Amino acid sequence: MFPFVVVFIGPPGVGKGTQAAILSEDYVIPKFATGDLLRESLRNKTPLGLEAKKYMDSGQLVPDQLVLDLIKDRIVGLPKETGFILDGFPRTISQAIALDDILKGLCHTVNLAVEFKMDEEARILRLTGRRLCPQCQKTYHIVFAPPKTDLLCDVCAISLIQRTDDNEDVIRQRSAVYWEATNPLLGYYRNNHVLKTVDASSSIDSVLLQIKNIFASLK
Ligand code: ADP
Ligand code: ADP
Ligand code: ZN
C-alpha cells in the first residue's frame, strides 16, 4: 500500500505527466493532473472548461478557484489510506496553502514534493516533439517515446495530435509563468522538509528509478 501524498513540480516538458502515468500504474494509486482535468472540462464544454480556455491558450495560469474546485472534487472522495500523485498542482504558493487546508480536513499532508530539474534547451525539444492521443490522452514523443506504428496511439490506433499550447510562443509564456509563480514553491516545500530533486534530463527509466528510490525511503 502507498499512503503518501506526492506533488510533482517542474517547468513544462520535464516529464512530470509521463512519470505520473507510469507510477500510478505501478503503485496502483490515482494521479491527478490539473492540465488534463482542465482539458477534459474543455472537451466536455463545461462552463469551467470554457472559462479556463482563454488562460490556457495564452499560457497563463487559470484562476485558483477554478483549479481548486476541480482538484478538491477528486481528492475529497478518496479512502483515507489511499495516497495519490498531483501533477501540475499546486502551481502557486496560494494553491499550496489551499491544498494543505484541504488535506488537513482529510487527515492527510503533503509527504513529498519532487522537483524535476533539467536544462532549458532539452526541455523545449521535449515539448515541440510531444504528441498525445486525443482519446486516451497517452503522451508520446516523436523521437524519444514514439508509438509503435506511425503516429498512431498504441492503445487506440487513432492519430496522435499536438497540444495547441505546445507552440513556441505559448511554451515561452508558460515557462516564464513557471519561473515567476511556481518555482517559489520549492522554497515552500523545502521549509516543510519534504522536497527532493531528481535529474529529469536522463532517460524515462532512469528518472523512474530515481523517483522509486525516493518513494522507498518514505516513512
Ligand atoms: P510535463 O508533464 O512535465 O509537461 P511530459 O511528461 O508531457 O512533461 O513530457 C514532455 C515530452 O517529453 C513528452 O513528449 C514525453 O514523451 C517526453 N519525455 C518525458 N520524459 C522523457 C525522458 N525522460 N526522456 C525523453 N523524453 C521524455
Ligand atoms: P505543462 O505541460 O505545462 O505541465 P499542463 O497540462 O500542466 O501543462 O497545463 C496546461 C495549462 O493548464 C497551463 O498552461 C495553465 O493554463 C493550466 N493549468 C494547469 N494546471 C494549473 C494550475 N494548477 N493552476 C492554474 N492553471 C493551471
Ligand atoms: Zn489512445
Side-chain angles (χ1 to χ4, degrees), residues 11-18 126 130 139-141 144-145 202-204:
V14 283
K16 304 178 299 295
T18 299
R126 285 192 186 177
R130 172 158 70 182
T139 299
Y140 298 86
H141 189 283
F144 308 134
S202 51
S203 69
I204 292 177

Side-chain angles (χ1 to χ4, degrees), residues 5 71-72 74-81 84 99-109:
V5 176
I71 207 79
K72 195 171 176 183
R74 309 287 158 142
I75 302 176
V76 166
L78 292 174
K80 206 179 142 290
E81 0 20 280
F84 51 89
L99 173 63
D100 285 347
D101 251 20
I102 298 171
L103 291 176
K104 205 189 239 172
L106 304 169
C107 302
H108 255 317
T109 180

Side-chain angles (χ1 to χ4, degrees), residues 12 16 34-35 38-39 60 62 88 91 95 130 163 174:
K16 304 178 299 295
T34 39
L38 288 165
R39 281 184 289 277
Q60 301 294 340
V62 170
R91 249 178 165 91
Q95 289 182 9
R130 172 158 70 182
R163 268 171 53 176
R174 283 155 56 209

